[in-house]
Amino acid sequence: MKDSKIRRIGILTGGGDCPGLNGVLRAVVKTCRFEYGIDVVGIQDGYGGLINDRMRTLTSDDVSGILARGGTILGSSNKDNPFRVPVSEGGETTFRDLSDQAIKNAQRHGLELLVVVGGDGSLNIAYELSKKGLPVVGVPKTIDNDLDATDVTFGFDSALSTATDAADKLHTTADSHHRLMVLELMGRYAGWIALEAGMAGGGDVILIPEIPFDIEKVAQAVRERGYRGRNFAVVVVAEGAAPKGGEMMVDRRIADSTDAVRLGGIGRWVAEELERRLEWEARTTVLGHLQRGGSPTAFDRLLATRFGVEAVRLVATGQHGRMVSIHGTTIDSVTLEEAVVRLRRVDPESQIVQAARAVGTSFGD
Ligand code: F6P
């Protein structure tokens, strides 16, 4: 066994789920048990389990056979925040700070440190908890791939593969019916999924939040495709894309969520606007949560495993207040403060956008 001052840790998966979470849980539990003899307690449903004291010990048997399974065996939540817990009194909902209660629950279970597997919302909360004295190690996850402190997060590659498959399938039916197919993809305020699935799936137009579009130019790109004898088109739209001078479209607001805004609706709007301007019939597909489900790709299984192993190394060597990350092919780490400071968005001048333009993709700008 290797040395570790820490003997017992808690782990939770917070925020929207994604393929690969179980791979991290498996790697953390197995490395803790086999390499260091550290006990691991699994906290149910993200921070909800920490606030309401729902935890159970995880053995290596509990995590055996889960690497290829989507979702998270612990459950997750993108609502529960110990610093802002909704409390209903007399028909009114107010928010209370129950972070002291959450920390006390961790202490009662003898947890010396918390491993938080989450996106920017969950990692922000982790950072606040660490400032209140609960040592934390972060592991980044999100299908949106929008954390600036790491080159890539697990979950993204799996979502990308699902989204590319959808674009491929839309191509064949678009071709048969000579239609315009609009595919709306997730990603929140970053266009990574739409950009990369749009490119990999041969989308004719890609609309992303970082490049505001002009619907007339989108229509013109489709028309020109028609002049070249191509009588169908696939338009890939990020849920956060917006026309020049316009706002992102909001599908709903969830008051008790870390980020209340849920985007959606732009795909349908684009389809209707194009149908009005062109001779072609249009259909919209909103891929939605299919992008978050299913088995992780080999890439995500590997990244999840490497992140989990590194997280335990940070725990055992006393490097708290850090989040594991990958730069190039090297697994390293950054401070939690650096981890949550900036979102990673698509640079409109980047090589990847230029490559898309070079092969004739329109961004509608
Ligand atoms: O952050 C992950 C994500 O899937 C976003 O791409 C999307 O905007 C959001 O979560 C959807 O959240 P919910 O699961 O609450 O609908």
Side-chain angles (χ1 to χ4, degrees), residues 47-234:
Y47 288 105
L50 197 60
I51 301 164
N52 300 313
D53 196 6
R54 284 183 286 115
M55 318 182 185
R56 66 187 157 103
T57 299
L58 291 176
T59 65
S60 55
D61 276 353
D62 291 321
V63 295
S64 186
I66 64 170
L67 180 58
R69 209 199 294 174
T72 156
I73 59 163
L74 287 180
S76 192
S77 161
N78 57 7
K79 287 168 119 185
D80 295 299
N81 175 353
F83 293 93
R84 198 169 172 272
V85 181
V87 185
S88 296
E89 268 166 341
E92 280 217 354
T93 303
T94 52
F95 292 93
R96 280 173 59 195
D97 179 350
L98 297 185
S99 54
D100 287 337
Q101 176 180 312
I103 290 173
K104 272 197 194 114
N105 284 338
Q107 286 163 348
R108 193 170 27 247
H109 286 269
L111 307 184
E112 298 161 68
L113 180 145
L114 190 63
V115 173
V116 172
V117 191
D120 61 331
S122 308
L123 292 170
N124 255 306
I125 296 168
Y127 181 46
E128 294 305 320
L129 288 174
S130 73
K131 286 199 280 188
K132 288 192 84 166
L134 179 63
V136 170
V137 165
V139 179
K141 68 86 228 182
T142 164
I143 62 163
D144 304 334
N145 206 24
D146 59 356
L147 290 174
D148 194 52
T150 181
D151 283 358
V152 65
T153 47
F154 65 85
F156 174 65
D157 189 63
S158 305
L160 186 56
S161 139
T162 300
T164 303
D165 183 49
D168 287 347
K169 287 178 170 147
L170 288 177
H171 259 104
T172 59
T173 174
D175 193 358
S176 310
H177 288 270
H178 317 309
R179 277 177 178 159
L180 190 68
M181 288 295 188
V182 178
L183 174 62
E184 181 183 302
L185 298 175
M186 281 184 167
R188 285 207 301 173
Y189 312 117
W192 293 108
I193 301 178
L195 173 65
E196 297 198 14
M199 289 177 75
D204 306 294
V205 178
I206 299 175
L207 305 177
I208 57 173
E210 295 85 348
I211 307 180
F213 62 89
D214 175 344
I215 193 71
E216 253 317 315
K217 294 206 171 138
V218 177
Q220 189 53 28
V222 177
R223 251 181 234 119
E224 280 165 16
R225 193 172 149 77
Y227 303 150
R228 293 195 302 272
R230 312 293 282 158
N231 55 9
F232 71 94
V234 174

Side-chain angles (χ1 to χ4, degrees), residues 282-306:
R283 294 286 188 275
T284 313
T285 301
V286 181
L287 200 57
H289 292 79
L290 287 175
Q291 293 158 96
R292 291 234 302 259
S295 185
T297 57
F299 179 89
D300 280 341
R301 293 179 203 187
L302 288 170
L303 189 57
T305 301
R306 294 181 72 195

